[in-house]
Amino acid sequence: MKRIVDSSVLDVVAFPSGFVFAKKEESPEGARAAFYCYNVVTKKMEAVRRSAYLQCKFGENFEKIVGIVGNFIFCDCVRMPNTGEVVVLTEDSKMFYISAQGELIWNEELCYRDAPVRDLTVDDNCVWCAVPDKSSVVRFSPSVKKVYIRVGGAETRTFSNPVGVSKYANDLYVSCGELNKIRRIDFQTYSVKDYKIFDEPVFKYYKIHDREFARLESGLYML
């Protein structure tokens, strides 16, 4: 593995040829967030403006969305591929459903069986979220506010402390925090198997271009 960013990384936003990220940096005025872009093809990293990071994360209406959401770093965001709505999930499990024009449709705390949810990955017109307290992941439709599928559960050993979800093709990759592993769900068979095992907590898995990355406790790595 090759470390791309150290543990100062605060947020990672992937795009087809790389990712932008926010990291904590010290300055004479104190700690601040700085923004960078990493190109997977050229393997070059460069500083970018705050606006470039925000546009990559939230889309062209980022100014409106930031005004709605508030803290723009410590949240997860996806865009619906067919209709353009933006879904934002904050650290305190509050979900914002925002139109393609940047107007708020609804916002409320999202829980599954009274347990808060974490992270987002898009799946057609739905999103997958992790439910750490219930050892499960759920497929949720923001347009109708309904959970359609649950995989795992507190009574099973399928997942433990799931905190990150990432969907690529017909597979869902579930990062199981303190279990130090990524498990993969094959949607053709709904079988669940270990995919990667690490020596420290893992929070998120990414496939970018032809490369794989994982955000671990000690930073962001190319696998």
Side-chain angles (χ1 to χ4, degrees):
M1 298 193 307
K2 178 184 178 181
R3 189 162 70 174
I4 306 299
V5 192
D6 63 21
S7 60
S8 63
V9 64
L10 302 172
D11 184 37
V12 178
V13 182
F15 61 89
S17 60
F19 53 84
V20 294
F21 63 94
K23 69 188 295 279
K24 182 180 178 181
E25 290 187 349
E26 297 294 334
S27 70
E29 294 76 30
R32 68 182 183 91
F35 307 99
Y36 294 86
C37 177
Y38 180 80
N39 188 302
V40 172
V41 178
T42 64
K43 298 181 181 179
K44 290 184 178 180
M45 187 181 300
E46 60 182 355
V48 296
R49 294 181 180 273
R50 171 181 174 273
S51 58
Y53 159 82
L54 291 174
Q55 183 166 7
C56 185
K57 184 169 185 174
F58 298 110
E60 61 183 12
N61 292 307
F62 66 87
E63 290 182 346
K64 287 184 178 180
I65 295 172
V66 168
I68 293 169
V69 173
N71 191 322
F72 56 82
I73 292 179
F74 297 106
C75 64
D76 300 298
C77 178
V78 296
R79 276 168 274 178
M80 297 293 98
N82 299 319
T83 52
E85 289 92 354
V86 175
V87 182
V88 179
L89 182 66
T90 63
E91 283 195 318
D92 57 359
S93 196
K94 191 172 185 179
M95 180 172 281
F96 296 81
Y97 188 46
I98 300 167
S99 73
Q101 293 73 40
E103 305 298 330
L104 180 65
I105 300 172
W106 60 261
N107 71 282
E108 60 187 59
E109 184 179 9
L110 181 63
C111 292
Y112 178 71
R113 295 186 177 178
D114 299 320
V117 302
R118 288 189 59 179
D119 203 33
L120 293 170
T121 191
V122 71
D123 182 10
D124 292 329
N125 62 342
C126 292
V127 295
W128 284 92
C129 301
V131 193
D133 293 348
K134 298 296 182 182
S135 300
S136 60
V137 295
V138 294
R139 187 174 188 265
F140 175 76
S141 169
S143 62
V144 299
K145 297 184 182 180
K146 181 178 179 180
V147 171
Y148 284 108
I149 301 172
R150 184 202 74 190
V151 182
E155 69 284 356
T156 73
R157 296 188 178 184
T158 306
F159 305 112
S160 178
N161 187 226
V163 293
V165 285
S166 309
K167 183 179 182 295
Y168 298 103
N170 290 317
D171 298 316
L172 185 73
Y173 299 83
V174 181
S175 298
C176 296
E178 296 175 359
L179 198 61
N180 300 356
K181 65 172 60 176
I182 298 168
R183 308 210 76 200
R184 180 172 63 184
I185 304 173
D186 181 342
F187 284 135
Q188 294 184 331
T189 62
Y190 275 88
S191 62
V192 182
K193 297 180 180 179
D194 288 348
Y195 183 67
K196 299 283 185 182
I197 300 176
F198 304 94
D199 295 326
E200 60 180 301
V202 54
F203 306 122
K204 185 79 171 182
Y205 170 80
Y206 307 88
K207 270 187 181 179
I208 304 170
H209 210 258
D210 59 347
R211 302 285 185 175
E212 295 178 286
F213 297 82
R215 184 176 173 187
L216 308 180
E217 189 173 56
S218 60
L220 180 68
Y221 290 81
M222 182 185 296
L223 304 181

